[in-house]
Amino acid sequence: MDIYMPGCSGVEAANVIRQHSGYTNLPITFLSTESGLSNQLDALRVGGDDFLQKPITDSHLLNAVTIRAKRFRELSQLMSKDSLTGLLNHINLKLFLEREVASVERHPAALSFAMIDIDFFKSINDNYGHPEGDRVIKTLARLLKSRLRECDIAGRYGGEEFAIVLKNTSLEDGVKVVESIKRIFSDIQFKAGDSHYSATFSAGIAQWKPKMTMSELIVAADEALYKAKNLGRNQICT
């Protein structure tokens, strides 16, 4: 965008855009006749990523924007994914859930949210070492990727805890999905040296209700997870 525009300046517009967390990674390129270095730096200081000066050829503009967009897509992928599992990280999972809650608030539809926690994970690390613990985490992550639909999203919530956003899914259907994944996961035999072991997980699932906020949905699923833990683990509560 230009620095000089009717209604507001480009600097003002960039400043507003950067106040929204969902647009943090959006590249902003200024294209202007402004030649003053101070004004150019002001534009970059509020969140601009590049400053191109008019006049400019079409090919120069196209190449500059293409390069910037490609780099930001690559950076966005790195910033949004958990490095160990390749799933969404904590903050980006919550951003996705926030958008889905806003969507079903406008256009009512079934939406379920599941919290998953690997049982006795500390014992796996203590008995077989942290590399084995990482292997168990990556195995569950691959299982979630392969068993969920493309429209569903799984993320690593932290440590050995995962979360799943199940779109257009009732509580009953959500339980069936997570139960199937739980059964497959518990059947996997891990080998560490001469030893073999298996792992299980507990899960809590909550369904969105009208007027429920994202935070309330997370709390409901988290409370269901704690209930599953307290009842003996390796089970699902709602």
Side-chain angles (χ1 to χ4, degrees):
M1 58 186 167
D2 203 337
I3 283 188
Y4 304 108
M5 303 186 296
C8 76
S9 72
V11 172
E12 290 170 336
N15 204 14
V16 170
I17 289 169
R18 289 298 186 229
Q19 290 179 35
H20 294 269
S21 59
Y23 298 134
T24 301
N25 297 334
L26 177 71
I28 297 176
T29 297
F30 286 98
L31 176 64
S32 180
T33 56
E34 177 59 58
S35 59
L37 180 60
S38 176
N39 288 336
Q40 290 185 11
L41 290 175
D42 283 342
L44 297 178
R45 194 172 291 115
V46 297
D49 300 292
D50 206 354
F51 197 103
L52 305 175
Q53 195 167 341
K54 297 177 182 177
I56 188 172
T57 64
D58 291 351
S59 60
H60 183 180
L61 175 61
L62 182 62
N63 284 324
V65 171
T66 300
I67 289 167
R68 180 65 66 180
K70 181 175 183 292
R71 181 175 300 139
F72 267 76
R73 282 194 205 100
E74 292 168 349
L75 286 173
S76 182
Q77 284 289 318
L78 290 172
M79 292 170 65
S80 66
K81 299 294 180 65
D82 170 64
S83 59
L84 180 64
T85 64
L87 301 177
L88 284 185
N89 59 26
H90 180 102
I91 187 168
N92 283 283
L93 178 78
K94 290 181 73 173
L95 286 172
F96 181 85
L97 179 60
E98 186 176 37
R99 289 194 294 269
E100 290 307 311
V101 168
S103 176
V104 294
E105 189 69 67
R106 292 192 304 270
H107 308 288
L111 176 68
S112 293
F113 181 67
M115 298 281 285
I116 291 173
D117 190 87
I118 299 173
D119 297 324
F120 303 111
F121 185 73
K122 185 177 183 301
S123 296
I124 295 174
N125 280 335
D126 291 344
N127 293 330
Y128 306 106
H130 287 275
E132 278 298 310
D134 287 349
R135 188 155 73 100
V136 172
I137 285 175
K138 288 190 285 187
T139 299
L140 179 52
R142 285 194 297 269
L143 191 55
L144 292 174
K145 288 178 187 176
S146 66
R147 300 295 296 183
L148 295 175
R149 302 167 301 176
E150 286 191 12
C151 65
D152 299 324
I153 288 292
R156 188 180 180 195
Y157 210 71
E160 67 274 20
E161 197 168 26
F162 296 79
I164 311 172
V165 182
L166 298 162
K167 297 175 64 174
N168 299 311
T169 304
S170 67
L171 189 64
E172 293 76 14
D173 288 339
V175 170
K176 291 177 184 176
V177 171
V178 178
E179 180 62 49
S180 172
I181 296 170
K182 186 174 78 68
R183 185 171 58 252
I184 295 170
F185 182 65
S186 64
D187 287 341
I188 296 173
Q189 289 293 308
F190 296 95
K191 187 176 186 299
D194 296 329
S195 302
H196 289 80
Y197 67 95
S198 59
T200 62
F201 68 69
S202 302
I205 308 177
Q207 183 176 348
W208 177 84
K209 300 294 182 186
K211 306 302 181 183
M212 182 183 273
T213 66
M214 178 196 69
S215 296
E216 289 170 341
L217 182 59
I218 292 174
V219 168
D222 201 38
E223 288 177 349
L225 172 60
Y226 274 101
K227 182 180 176 183
K229 290 283 195 182
N230 291 331
L231 290 175
R233 296 178 169 83
N234 191 24
Q235 57 185 286
I236 301 169
C237 287
T238 61

